Amino acid sequence: MPLVRSLSVTSLLEDWDEEFDLEDAILFEIAWEVANKVGGIYTVIQTKARLTCEEWGENYFLVGPYMESNVRTQVELIEPSNPALRRTIDKMNSSGCKVYFGRWLIEGSPYVVLIDVGFTAWCLDRWKSELWEHCGIGVPWFDREANDAVLFGFLTAWLLGEFAAQCEEPPHIVAHFHEWLAGLGLVLCRQRHLPVATIFTTHATLLGRYLCAGNVDFYNNLSEFNLDKEAGDRQIYHRYCLERAAARCAHVFTTVSKITAIEAEHLLKRKPDIVTPNGLNVKKFSAMHEFQNLHAQSKARIQEFIRGHFYGHLDFNLDKTVFLFIAGRYEFSNKGADIFLEALARLNYLLRVNHSEITVIAFFIMPARTNNFNVETLKGQAVRKQLWDTAHTVKERFGKKLYESLLVGQLPDVSKMLDKEDFTMMKRAIFATQRQCQPPICTHNMLEDSTDPILNCIRRIGLFNSSQDRVKVIFHPEFLSSTSPLLPMDYEDFVRGCHLGVFPSYYEPWGYTPAECTVMGIPSISTNLSGFGCFMEEHIADPTAYGIYILDRRYRSVDESCNQLTSFLYQFCQQSRRQRIIQRNRTERLSDLLDWRYLGNYYMCARHMALAKAFPDTYIYEPHDPTATQGFRYPRPASVPPSPAHSLHSSPHHSEAEDEDERYDEDLEAEKDRVNIRQPVTLPYRNKSLTPLPEKN
């Protein structure tokens, strides 16, 4: 099949092959989540650090807040090796600040500059007055998060200004600010005319997140919102002003996805200069199918949990059970938990009326307020362990008698192999599995059970884990941990053991959860309102064939989207085991697209663009004509169809044996996909110290 090609973001990178000299440039990357895990930005910075260190070496510094509990476990405090930075930190510390320097103990071991914002809280009122006088932005006293943003912003601008003053030669500084919490530092750099090339990245707009949480038709009414009024009604006007000012003042403005770029253009009134998708550090296995073995091992551990959770009602075949999951922040509508539950109810109806042998178990991994584990859930795991111990004891006694019988050269008398005591032990174990109630929905005791959105929706649709239901639901309102007495698995192992991740989000600027599924070879359902979904639609001609199902939530009604999601789930349940294995192989091959070694180039382009705009006498930026090149897309695999819906069998009820005859060459298909990936290179900037501009006549 010929390669299907179309214009894409990557087309802008395809022909850029000139080197960019960074010897005399310094990069500061500023974010509230440097060595301070709060949300997804922490993952972005942490995973990207290794690649950035390789590019910038000793000239790369991360700047974040000093949090003592985090520093104790994540940071090694050392003295700065850069003389100008050492003088800068000493000067600030002698002027009433507390600034620390060290190495962040992650991949790449980047340098970090950590600022204690609480130590300079005595400057808050003065700095707020200065912010009002120079920028016209007032911050109320009761907003603690905004107060921290003011302190962090002024201290960051102080650090950058002092560093520029301490350098012996005029420096070429690049300062990359993430999100509104760090954005004030950028505004102050421009207001003070510091010699700094600034970049601002918004990972999700403040107003967008608030509006989507209010159940409005957000994306179809972007141009209709009264932005100042909407921000004021939600008491975030001052935050919105900080975010909008940072976006407007930056030399280069970026977002993480095309859908967020559209949002930012309307809400922040600036079109992003470049889209910088989020990546992951992809680790390839030496053996091609090693990840399939890991899937089987993790699935077996999940099955053990299921045996305990459904004790007394284990009337379904675990070998014909499909595990689905949704995970993330507990935002019932934004994360799509509402539409997922409705689709599960419809899927349950389809499986029952079609007398399907498949059972679906859907996990909801979303942290909520709880006070402890559910007693019934813990009892289930205890009963399972007791059954295992009983079976093991009887097996040992049986084996010993069999061994002794064979030693004397006699075939064993099967009727005498199990004595009365053995039968008594087994009967007691069987009686212990009797249960008068249904298996629990929630694994914990919820503090707000009567008002919980997920539990109330389950009560409405009637999925109570009864024996008639082909779809079962388990709500685990806590992050997974290998030390849990209930489900002792890390999140990564749990994802590997599932068959499908379901993320039908309405508001998802990027979406790390489906990206993590892809890297681990697990198919996922995303939407065309998520950055990940848009990115995959752009790069893959037929995403479904590669296990990336894209749900349309932008141009369809909620009911139509729910029907489409139900169709995706039902088609997936109809796949044979071999078809699921083939699909996982294809999904895992897409991991190269999400590797920082590929996506990190977008960040390089943004930094080069900022240097060219801030220092036009030193760096040249040559805009690239996107109409002159073409991008690339993965073609649809010309072998086994991804689901029975696309199969063309001679009989309506084909056998498993027919699947074995279908045309599929894993090595050949993998080689074609590797050819389709092209690594983008750097922008065509030139340093004048190496290539001088031609003199004007």
Side-chain angles (χ1 to χ4, degrees):
M1 173 178 285
L3 185 65
V4 181
R5 301 174 66 86
S6 72
L7 187 64
S8 69
V9 174
T10 53
S11 67
L12 303 179
L13 304 171
E14 198 171 60
D15 296 329
W16 291 337
D17 55 3
E18 297 190 35
E19 294 296 326
F20 190 76
D21 183 27
L22 299 173
E23 285 296 324
D24 57 349
I26 304 288
L27 172 62
F28 289 91
E29 192 160 4
I30 300 107
W32 187 258
E33 297 196 34
V34 170
N36 177 40
K37 185 173 178 58
V38 178
I41 302 172
Y42 176 91
T43 305
V44 175
I45 295 170
Q46 181 196 40
T47 55
K48 183 169 62 68
R50 183 183 67 182
L51 184 69
T52 313
C53 285
E54 291 176 5
E55 180 192 1
W56 289 79
E58 298 287 304
N59 292 347
Y60 174 51
F61 304 97
L62 287 160
V63 181
Y66 176 83
M67 302 289 181
E68 187 171 354
S69 59
N70 295 331
V71 170
R72 286 178 178 175
T73 57
Q74 299 184 41
V75 178
E76 176 191 8
L77 296 178
I78 59 175
E79 286 295 319
S81 57
N82 186 299
L85 187 59
R86 187 187 312 115
R87 292 192 296 269
T88 299
I89 292 176
D90 291 343
K91 182 73 177 294
M92 291 183 68
N93 286 337
S94 64
S95 301
C97 300
K98 268 194 175 180
V99 183
Y100 301 85
F101 184 85
R103 282 193 181 275
W104 192 3
L105 302 179
I106 58 174
E107 281 191 90
S109 300
Y111 289 130
V112 289
V113 180
L114 302 177
I115 305 172
D116 191 340
V117 296
F119 192 76
T120 50
W122 54 275
C123 296
L124 182 60
D125 289 338
R126 175 164 60 86
W127 286 343
K128 279 187 178 181
S129 299
E130 186 178 335
L131 179 62
W132 173 254
E133 291 171 6
H134 295 293
C135 304
I137 300 175
V139 178
W141 63 270
F142 56 81
D143 190 341
R144 182 173 180 178
E145 198 169 12
N147 289 338
D148 286 341
V150 171
L151 291 169
F152 188 55
F154 272 86
L155 288 166
T156 301
W158 185 355
L159 174 76
L160 294 173
E162 190 64 41
F163 178 80
Q166 293 292 341
C167 289
E168 297 175 357
E169 297 180 1
H172 297 137
I173 301 173
V174 182
H176 190 158
F177 298 82
H178 293 267
E179 284 296 296
W180 73 274
L181 278 165
L184 179 56
L186 185 153
V187 177
L188 294 172
C189 285
R190 299 306 304 275
Q191 187 264 327
R192 296 173 182 178
H193 303 289
L194 297 180
V196 177
T198 57
I199 306 170
F200 181 67
T201 297
T202 179
H203 297 258
T205 66
L206 270 170
L207 195 52
R209 193 178 292 280
Y210 274 85
L211 287 169
C212 284
N215 293 320
V216 299
D217 188 4
F218 177 65
Y219 290 99
N220 292 321
N221 293 285
L222 275 172
S223 59
E224 307 298 326
F225 292 115
N226 183 335
L227 304 179
D228 292 339
K229 180 182 182 300
E230 297 289 353
D233 289 346
R234 290 159 177 78
Q235 298 186 358
I236 59 165
Y237 184 69
H238 53 289
R239 297 186 180 191
Y240 169 69
C241 288
L242 290 172
E243 182 181 44
R244 184 166 169 175
R248 299 294 295 274
C249 290
H251 288 104
V252 174
F253 174 44
T254 80
T255 60
V256 297
S257 63
K258 282 190 171 182
I259 193 70
T260 314
I262 297 170
E263 174 188 340
E265 187 175 358
H266 286 88
L267 301 187
L268 301 180
K269 300 303 180 184
R270 179 175 177 181
K271 184 177 181 179
D273 299 287
I274 189 171
V275 172
T276 52
N278 294 332
L280 290 163
N281 289 326
V282 178
K283 297 179 180 178
K284 288 290 186 179
F285 295 107
S286 55
M288 184 177 296
H289 298 296
E290 188 175 341
F291 78 96
Q292 295 279 13
N293 297 331
L294 292 175
H295 166 74
Q297 295 167 13
S298 296
K299 183 178 71 173
R301 293 170 66 185
I302 295 175
Q303 288 175 337
E304 280 301 295
F305 167 78
I306 295 299
R307 290 185 177 99
H309 191 82
F310 287 91
Y311 83 92
H313 295 271
L314 200 63
D315 50 2
F316 51 90
N317 186 351
L318 281 175
D319 290 332
K320 295 184 178 180
T321 299
V322 174
F323 298 137
L324 316 179
F325 81 99
I326 182 173
R329 286 189 306 274
Y330 196 170
E331 297 177 9
F332 184 64
S333 298
N334 278 359
K335 294 298 182 183
D338 52 351
I339 193 174
F340 184 29
L341 281 168
E342 184 63 39
L344 287 175
R346 300 180 186 187
L347 175 66
N348 184 50
Y349 172 79
L350 287 175
L351 293 176
R352 289 176 62 177
V353 298
N354 288 290
H355 305 290
S356 174
E357 295 182 347
I358 297 295
T359 300
V360 173
I361 297 181
F363 290 88
F364 287 73
I365 313 295
M366 292 180 158
R369 296 181 62 202
T370 64
N371 60 14
N372 214 328
F373 293 107
N374 186 309
V375 173
E376 186 65 24
T377 307
L378 288 173
K379 181 183 176 183
Q381 301 307 313
V383 169
R384 178 194 62 78
K385 188 176 184 306
Q386 182 185 8
L387 280 172
W388 173 260
D389 292 341
T390 299
H392 192 68
T393 300
V394 173
K395 182 184 73 172
E396 285 188 341
R397 293 159 65 103
F398 183 95
K400 186 177 180 180
K401 292 177 182 177
L402 176 62
Y403 173 67
E404 291 176 348
S405 177
L406 295 175
L407 276 178
V408 297
Q410 295 180 357
L411 289 175
D413 186 351
V414 178
S415 62
K416 296 180 180 179
M417 295 299 290
L418 295 176
D419 55 28
K420 188 176 182 180
E421 185 179 352
D422 294 327
F423 280 104
T424 301
M425 289 176 61
M426 290 188 288
K427 286 179 181 179
R428 289 180 60 185
I430 292 172
F431 290 160
T433 63
Q434 294 180 359
R435 199 179 211 170
Q436 304 303 319
C437 61
Q438 300 283 9
I441 299 288
C442 188
T443 58
H444 292 60
N445 294 322
M446 301 288 290
L447 289 179
E448 299 169 350
D449 183 286
S450 61
T451 59
D452 184 79
I454 288 180
L455 294 181
N456 279 339
C457 186
I458 290 173
R459 294 180 185 114
R460 179 180 62 81
I461 61 180
L463 286 180
F464 298 125
N465 292 344
S466 67
S467 57
Q468 293 79 23
D469 290 329
R470 303 283 11 108
V471 174
K472 323 284 186 180
V473 178
I474 298 176
F475 180 23
H476 190 282
E478 193 177 70
F479 285 127
L480 296 171
S481 170
S482 58
T483 60
S484 170
L486 195 63
L487 183 56
M489 297 181 73
D490 287 328
Y491 177 74
E492 180 179 337
D493 294 332
F494 174 79
V495 172
R496 286 192 184 279
C498 290
H499 296 94
L500 180 70
V502 184
F503 313 103
S505 305
Y506 185 76
Y507 187 78
E508 191 70 78
W510 175 245
Y512 257 121
T513 41
E516 289 166 340
C517 285
T518 303
V519 169
M520 289 185 267
I522 302 301
S524 64
I525 296 177
S526 188
T527 75
N528 59 355
L529 291 181
S530 73
F532 173 84
C534 293
F535 181 82
M536 285 303 186
E537 272 190 322
E538 179 186 359
H539 287 80
I540 309 171
D542 182 8
T544 303
Y546 285 89
I548 308 295
Y549 299 84
I550 309 296
L551 183 67
D552 185 1
R553 294 207 63 181
R554 187 173 185 185
Y555 303 110
R556 299 192 184 199
S557 66
V558 174
D559 186 62
E560 290 172 335
S561 297
C562 190
N563 284 334
Q564 186 185 19
L565 177 56
T566 306
S567 175
F568 284 159
L569 297 176
Y570 187 66
Q571 287 180 23
F572 188 84
C573 291
Q574 286 183 300
Q575 289 184 10
S576 67
R577 182 173 178 272
R578 182 170 183 267
Q579 286 174 325
R580 290 201 301 267
I581 290 173
I582 292 171
Q583 192 177 60
R584 282 197 296 271
N585 287 336
R586 293 174 181 163
T587 303
E588 195 270 342
R589 288 201 300 274
L590 295 180
S591 59
D592 287 335
L593 276 177
L594 301 171
D595 196 337
W596 273 123
R597 300 245 170 232
Y598 174 81
L599 297 179
N601 285 277
Y602 295 109
Y603 277 87
M604 295 179 192
C605 295
R607 293 190 286 263
H608 298 171
M609 191 183 299
L611 280 168
K613 288 185 177 182
F615 307 106
D617 294 333
T618 307
Y619 299 97
I620 302 173
Y621 168 53
E622 297 177 358
H624 194 71
D625 181 12
T627 61
T629 60
Q630 291 179 310
F632 66 87
R633 284 158 66 97
Y634 273 67
R636 187 185 188 282
S639 58
V640 177
S643 69
H646 301 97
S647 301
L648 296 175
H649 290 280
S650 57
S651 61
H653 301 288
H654 64 280
S655 65
E656 287 286 321
E658 286 181 312
D659 285 339
E660 299 299 327
D661 297 332
E662 290 178 324
R663 183 163 52 90
Y664 175 69
D665 188 327
E666 166 67 23
D667 295 333
L668 178 61
E669 198 173 280
E671 182 59 33
K672 287 182 179 179
D673 284 343
R674 279 192 290 271
V675 170
N676 288 334
I677 286 192
R678 298 184 183 179
Q679 297 296 325
V681 291
T682 55
L683 278 166
Y685 296 91
R686 292 193 299 272
N687 188 306
K688 282 189 178 178
S689 62
L690 300 178
T691 308
L693 283 173
E695 295 182 1
K696 294 182 180 179
N697 294 327

